[in-house]
Amino acid sequence: MRRIVVAVVVVVVAALGALVWLTRGPLAFAGGATVALADYHEANPTGVPAPLAKADIVKRGEYLAKAADCLVCHTAPGGADYAGGLAFPLPFGTLYSTNITADKGTGIGHYSDRDFLDAVQRGIRDDGARLYPAMPYTSYTLMTDADVLAIKAYLFSLPAVARQNRPDTLQFPFNQRWGMIFWSRAFNSDMRYAPNTAKSAEWNRGAYIAEALAHCGECHTPRNLAFALDNHRKFAGAVAAGWRAYDITSDKGTGIGAWSDDEVAAYLAQGHATGRGTASGPMGEAVDHSFSQMAPSDIRALVTYLRSVPAVASAEPATIAPPAPESPKAGPVADVLGRKVFAQACASCHSWSGVSSLSPVATISGSRAVNDPAATNVAQIVISGTLRLTPGALSMPAFGSTYSDTEIAAVANYVTGRFGSAASKLTAKDIAKLRSQTAY
């Protein structure tokens, strides 16, 4: 038995070592030389945009907290802002976000500056316990101390909320936080952002936003066997929290290489690009609470940076189907149940052609979601709806409690078959699984 245990340990250590050896940093693709921030002579890529540069620390922290999208993960549905309690279902249990208000008993009101820096940049709580990478500290580690402490100042300026943190329900051995010591040493660089002198000041600003603040890779980059980001396929798309985050590399087929700069900027700032689709799920929340709150100069910088990410062709469909026929009698009718549900719940807003007469935001023809034969996001949108806050955006009601898993699978299959390039083949079991993966 002892030999077996030793052999297993050796295999695990060897596998982890191989993964570490293969690990690539998020900015390795860019090449060029980097310098310490203090030695960079162009515009400072960190901090806030120029109009806010002379604002007080709380105002700067508010901008940075929105850019870092802290509110979404640390606020439960119906709960107080930043008071935690949002559930992150995992195959081996559930994690709950923590209270990061200034309450000294249940929040982080007792945190020193050093405590806060350690938590955000290194994933270490004030009691020494390790955070799980659901908290994206491997991205936040690139943030400067000044920016992290500005966020702290903003959080401490808000009303303190006394709300006890919900205990996680992870199964053994995943509930052993000490194991994250080794994971962090392997996959957290614990280094601040270093500007690339071969790139423009705008590119560096975009890189800082994408990698340090907005942590785009946490959703859009696939993960390796150790759940660390696989930057060999940077931004090539992945499934996160039960939703598909699509390929945002410069690939013209499956990425955003064929999108114009204006289309990318509109999607980020408004959550919609005509003929490309509308943000929903976690991306819709990121638009509402983060990207739509950013300065236009930061959105342009982000677009500049995204354009430089090497093309990676993903498994997502490159073919986008044209609008469907106007008549409900024309087109595929194989899924009778799906057609019935679509007629009841969807046609009045999305139309039988997929081109909405109500609003361009409600047009589903041409979107990635309906052209994805996995139908992940189509099903999730039906289940959860879309509560959009950005001006001009339309919200879609949730039908998860209205229709059964069988009905939702049927309508998702019908939608992808009628409006997409290939019909999905979801089952009721698939829908039940998607429900269980969604943060709530």
Side-chain angles (χ1 to χ4, degrees), residues 95-167:
L95 282 173
Y96 294 92
S97 64
T98 54
N99 183 344
I100 57 169
T101 72
D103 183 69
K104 291 185 178 180
T106 62
I108 59 171
H110 59 285
Y111 270 45
S112 67
D113 286 354
R114 181 70 267 162
D115 291 336
F116 195 74
L117 288 168
D118 283 342
V120 174
Q121 296 171 333
R122 300 175 182 86
I124 304 174
R125 296 191 319 205
D126 67 314
D127 61 359
R130 297 285 173 150
L131 300 178
Y132 293 102
M135 156 56 170
Y137 59 87
T138 55
S139 293
Y140 289 159
T141 194
L142 294 170
M143 291 172 59
T144 64
D145 290 3
D147 284 355
V148 174
L149 294 180
I151 291 175
K152 176 176 179 280
Y154 169 66
L155 293 175
F156 276 49
S157 75
L158 301 175
V161 179
R163 185 186 189 283
Q164 290 290 342
N165 291 313
R166 295 186 65 176

Side-chain angles (χ1 to χ4, degrees), residues 246-287:
Y246 290 108
D247 185 336
I248 55 171
T249 71
S250 53
D251 185 79
K252 292 185 177 181
T254 61
I256 58 172
W259 296 33
S260 69
D261 288 356
D262 287 345
E263 287 173 335
V264 179
Y267 193 87
L268 290 170
Q270 302 163 26
H272 174 76
T274 301
R276 302 295 186 184
T278 301
S280 56
M283 187 62 196
E285 292 177 331
V287 170

Side-chain angles (χ1 to χ4, degrees), residues 318-394:
T319 302
I320 302 296
E326 293 281 355
S327 171
K329 296 180 180 179
V333 293
D335 200 316
V336 177
L337 177 59
R339 177 178 173 176
K340 177 183 176 181
V341 174
F342 186 84
Q344 292 173 340
C346 316
S348 60
C349 288
H350 299 298
S351 87
W352 289 98
S353 69
V355 179
S356 176
S357 59
L358 190 67
S359 167
V361 176
T363 290
I364 58 176
S365 177
S367 71
R368 283 175 156 183
V370 301
N371 283 278
D372 180 1
T376 302
N377 290 4
V378 170
Q380 287 288 29
I381 291 168
V382 176
I383 293 168
S384 306
T386 58
L387 179 59
R388 294 296 314 285
L389 306 175
T390 302
L394 294 181

Side-chain angles (χ1 to χ4, degrees), residues 411-430:
V411 75
N413 294 338
Y414 178 77
V415 165
T416 52
R418 181 175 182 84
F419 305 107
S421 53
S424 58
K425 298 179 180 179
L426 292 179
T427 65
K429 185 177 180 180
D430 295 324

Side-chain angles (χ1 to χ4, degrees), residues 22-309:
L22 292 171
T23 295
R24 190 183 192 196
L27 294 161
F29 75 91
T34 59
V35 296
L37 187 61
D39 297 324
Y40 186 62
H41 302 301
E42 302 293 332
N44 186 348
T46 70
V48 295
L52 287 175
K54 295 183 179 179
D56 62 64
I57 189 171
V58 171
K59 194 69 177 177
R60 287 183 279 121
E62 179 182 12
Y63 185 92
L64 294 166
K66 289 178 179 178
D69 210 14
C70 306
L71 177 68
V72 169
C73 287
H74 286 277
T75 305
D81 288 356
Y82 299 107
L86 184 69
F88 294 88
L90 300 169
F92 38 82
T94 301
L95 282 173
Y96 294 92
S97 64
T98 54
N99 183 344
I100 57 169
T101 72
D103 183 69
K104 291 185 178 180
T106 62
I108 59 171
H110 59 285
Y111 270 45
S112 67
D113 286 354
R114 181 70 267 162
D115 291 336
F116 195 74
L117 288 168
D118 283 342
V120 174
Q121 296 171 333
R122 300 175 182 86
I124 304 174
R125 296 191 319 205
D126 67 314
D127 61 359
R130 297 285 173 150
L131 300 178
Y132 293 102
M135 156 56 170
Y137 59 87
T138 55
S139 293
Y140 289 159
T141 194
L142 294 170
M143 291 172 59
T144 64
D145 290 3
D147 284 355
V148 174
L149 294 180
I151 291 175
K152 176 176 179 280
Y154 169 66
L155 293 175
F156 276 49
S157 75
L158 301 175
V161 179
R163 185 186 189 283
Q164 290 290 342
N165 291 313
R166 295 186 65 176
D168 302 325
T169 62
L170 300 186
Q171 302 168 5
F172 182 85
F174 303 103
N175 62 348
Q176 303 299 303
R177 286 183 178 269
W178 59 266
M180 296 309 301
I181 294 173
F182 306 102
W183 190 94
S184 292
R185 287 179 180 173
F187 301 114
N188 182 24
S189 66
D190 194 13
M191 295 177 65
R192 312 296 85 82
Y193 182 77
N196 189 320
T197 58
K199 302 293 184 179
S200 68
E202 184 175 64
W203 184 95
N204 276 285
R205 176 60 178 172
Y208 187 74
I209 294 170
E211 304 298 346
L213 292 171
H215 53 279
C216 304
E218 299 289 342
C219 287
H220 288 278
T221 297
R223 293 180 181 272
N224 61 27
L225 294 175
F227 202 65
L229 297 183
D230 179 7
N231 285 306
H232 293 279
R233 293 182 55 78
K234 182 179 179 63
F235 290 176
V239 174
W243 292 75
R244 179 164 293 283
Y246 290 108
D247 185 336
I248 55 171
T249 71
S250 53
D251 185 79
K252 292 185 177 181
T254 61
I256 58 172
W259 296 33
S260 69
D261 288 356
D262 287 345
E263 287 173 335
V264 179
Y267 193 87
L268 290 170
Q270 302 163 26
H272 174 76
T274 301
R276 302 295 186 184
T278 301
S280 56
M283 187 62 196
E285 292 177 331
V287 170
D288 286 341
H289 297 286
S290 182
F291 295 120
S292 67
Q293 309 296 312
M294 291 187 189
S297 60
D298 277 353
I299 295 296
R300 289 195 299 271
L302 188 51
V303 172
T304 295
Y305 176 71
L306 289 175
R307 288 297 194 210
S308 73
V309 177

